[in-house]
Amino acid sequence: MYDVITIGSATLDVFVESDGANIVSVNSLRRKTEFMSFPYGAKVEIDGFSRNIGGGGVNTAANFANLGLKTSTIVKLGNDEIAPVITKKMQQDGVDTSNIITSKDRLSGFSIILVSFQGDRTVLAHRGANASISEDEIDFNVFKNTKWIYVAPLAGATNKLLDKIAEFADKNNINLAINAGSTAIKKGESYFHNIIKTAKIVVMNKEEASMLTKIQVRPDTKDEKFSQKEIHPDVVTMLKKLHCREDSLAVITDGKYGVYCYDGKDFYRAPEFSAKVVSTLGAGDAFSSTLVATIHKYGWDVKRALAYASVNAASVIEKFGAQEGFATMEEIEEKLRKHSEYKVKTVQCD
C-alpha cells in the first residue's frame, strides 16, 4: 500500500546561469511582458552550471518521500543513457520505481534552464517520452493500492489520461490531487470542471486560474495595496468556481503575493515565506506536494498545510535545483518555530 502515487514528467535538467542575461520589458496597453535576452551571435560566459533530475512527476515524488510518505511514481523514460540516471536518483530518494514505463522509440525528457540574475528562469523543454504515456501502458489496478493520486502537469498526448484517472479515483474512493498544467486547462472550463469536481485538492497559479475561469483580475486594486488580510474580489470568484465539491480545497498561488485558498466555507491567505531567491524552479512542485503531504499526515488542518507548503517552497527557492532545498517535516516545523511571526490567516470575503 502506498500513501501516494505521482504521475507526470521526468527530465534531466541542465541549469545554466549567466550574468550576461538581460531582462527586457515590453509594455502594451493591457499587459507587460518580460523576456530574457542575450546578444545575438555572441559567445556568452556561463557563471553557473549544474545537472539535476527534475520534472513534475519526479520532483513531487522525491518530496513526498522526503516528507515520510510511502511513494511511487508513474513516468515514462526513453531507452537512452538518461533513463538509468533518473531511475537511480529516484531510488536513492526512496521512491518506488516499479511503475516506470520505458519507451522503445523516444528519448527521455530533457530541459535547459536559463537562470537570470534575478533568480527567475526560462525553460527550453524537450518533452520526449513524457508526452506519450497511453492508457494501455498504465496498470490502473496499481492505483487501488494508494491513498492519494497526485497528478502533476501532463505533457502532450499524456493529457488524454487526465479524465480517465479522475474517473477511476472517483469510482474507487481514492483521494485525488491535481496541479493542472496549461495544456489541460486549454481544453476549457466545461472539460476541466468534470475533472476538478472529483479532486480533493486543486492547485494552479493565478494565470492558469484566470485562463480556466475566463476571469481577468481587474487592475483597480494595485498589487502594492494588497495586505495579508485581503484577497482581490476577482480571485475570490476564481476560487469559488474552482471549488466543486465538499471536503476539498481550491488553491491559487500568486508568486510573491502568497497563496489563496477556499475550502467551501472559509477563505485563507498565506503570505510568502521569506527566502533569498536563487532559483524559483521547482517551488510550485514543492508547494503542492507538501500541501498534500501535510493534509495526509495531519488531516484537514488547512492553515497548517498552507504554512508547511509555503515554508518548503521557500526552502527550494534558496537552492539551485528543483529538489536541492527539500525540507523534512521536522525542519519545516523548526523554521516555523523560529519565525513565529509568520501566520496564515482566515480572510473575510464578501
Side-chain angles (χ1 to χ4, degrees):
M1 173 66 75
Y2 303 110
D3 293 316
V4 61
I5 296 176
T6 71
I7 179 167
S9 60
T11 64
L12 176 65
D13 294 335
V14 176
F15 292 80
V16 178
E17 185 176 16
S18 175
D19 292 340
N22 300 300
I23 308 301
V24 180
S25 296
V26 178
N27 297 309
S28 64
L29 181 63
R30 299 187 181 277
R31 64 182 300 183
K32 175 182 178 181
T33 306
E34 293 187 324
F35 298 87
M36 186 185 299
S37 70
F38 297 91
Y40 184 70
K43 180 180 288 187
V44 180
E45 292 292 328
I46 293 175
D47 298 290
F49 175 86
S50 68
R51 292 176 296 176
N52 300 91
I53 305 305
V58 170
N59 289 341
T60 53
N63 189 41
F64 279 123
N66 187 63
L67 293 170
L69 277 66
K70 187 175 181 181
T71 307
S72 186
T73 188
I74 297 175
V75 295
K76 191 171 183 179
L77 304 177
N79 185 19
D80 53 30
E81 69 279 5
I82 293 176
V85 175
I86 294 175
T87 301
K88 183 179 179 180
K89 175 62 166 59
M90 286 193 285
Q91 291 170 342
Q92 291 172 341
D93 290 335
V95 177
D96 172 74
T97 58
S98 62
N99 296 303
I100 287 179
I101 303 164
T102 300
S103 172
K104 295 180 180 180
D105 57 357
R106 291 176 181 262
L107 297 175
S108 299
F110 181 83
S111 295
I112 298 174
I113 296 137
L114 305 175
V115 183
S116 80
F117 59 88
Q118 295 177 329
D120 285 327
R121 80 284 183 199
T122 295
V123 181
L124 308 178
H126 171 66
R127 302 298 184 184
N130 293 311
S132 64
I133 302 177
S134 59
E135 184 178 350
D136 60 1
E137 290 178 310
I138 295 178
D139 180 4
F140 277 78
N141 286 322
V142 170
F143 288 137
K144 293 181 179 179
N145 296 317
T146 188
K147 298 172 184 175
W148 284 89
I149 299 173
Y150 179 98
V151 182
L154 302 176
T158 305
N159 260 293
K160 297 177 182 178
L161 292 172
L162 188 53
D163 55 348
K164 301 291 185 182
I165 295 170
E167 181 182 359
F168 187 88
D170 190 42
K171 287 183 177 179
N172 291 277
N173 296 315
I174 303 167
N175 295 316
L176 178 65
I178 299 176
N179 182 10
S182 58
T183 303
I185 289 171
K186 287 176 182 177
K187 291 186 176 182
E189 187 175 359
S190 59
Y191 166 82
F192 212 77
H193 179 81
N194 291 326
I195 305 296
I196 61 177
K197 73 180 183 182
T198 67
K200 287 279 190 176
I201 298 176
V202 177
V203 182
M204 58 186 69
N205 62 41
K206 190 172 71 173
E207 291 72 27
E208 292 167 339
S210 177
M211 184 189 307
L212 177 63
T213 62
K214 301 295 190 295
I215 296 171
Q216 297 294 323
V217 179
R218 293 164 293 177
D220 54 341
T221 303
K222 301 298 183 182
D223 288 339
E224 57 266 29
K225 291 184 179 179
F226 277 132
S227 74
Q228 293 179 6
K229 295 182 179 180
E230 296 173 330
I231 303 178
H232 194 289
D234 294 333
V235 175
V236 170
T237 305
M238 288 181 190
L239 288 168
K240 288 180 177 179
K241 295 192 74 170
L242 294 176
H243 189 270
C244 297
R245 60 175 290 174
E246 295 181 0
D247 63 0
S248 69
L249 299 179
V251 182
I252 296 175
T253 62
D254 191 16
K256 66 181 181 180
Y257 299 110
V259 178
Y260 319 109
C261 177
Y262 180 53
D263 64 3
K265 178 183 176 182
D266 294 315
F267 292 90
Y268 305 87
R269 182 165 186 182
E272 180 186 45
F273 192 83
S274 179
K276 181 180 179 181
V277 178
V278 175
S279 172
T280 58
L281 188 75
D285 290 333
F287 176 88
S288 300
S289 51
T290 304
L291 180 74
V292 173
T294 309
I295 291 291
H296 171 78
K297 185 171 182 178
Y298 297 108
W300 290 88
D301 185 341
V302 179
K303 288 185 177 180
R304 185 177 202 170
L306 291 170
Y308 279 34
S310 298
V311 170
N312 212 4
S315 182
V316 167
I317 285 172
E318 292 183 325
K319 300 289 185 179
F320 197 64
Q323 299 179 21
E324 301 305 310
F326 286 157
T328 63
M329 286 291 189
E330 294 74 20
E331 289 168 339
I332 292 171
E333 290 162 0
E334 179 61 23
K335 287 187 177 185
L336 285 169
R337 279 193 291 270
K338 290 181 178 179
H339 295 273
S340 57
E341 76 284 355
Y342 181 84
K343 300 293 182 183
V344 177
K345 298 182 179 181
T346 305
V347 180
Q348 298 299 319
C349 298
D350 296 331

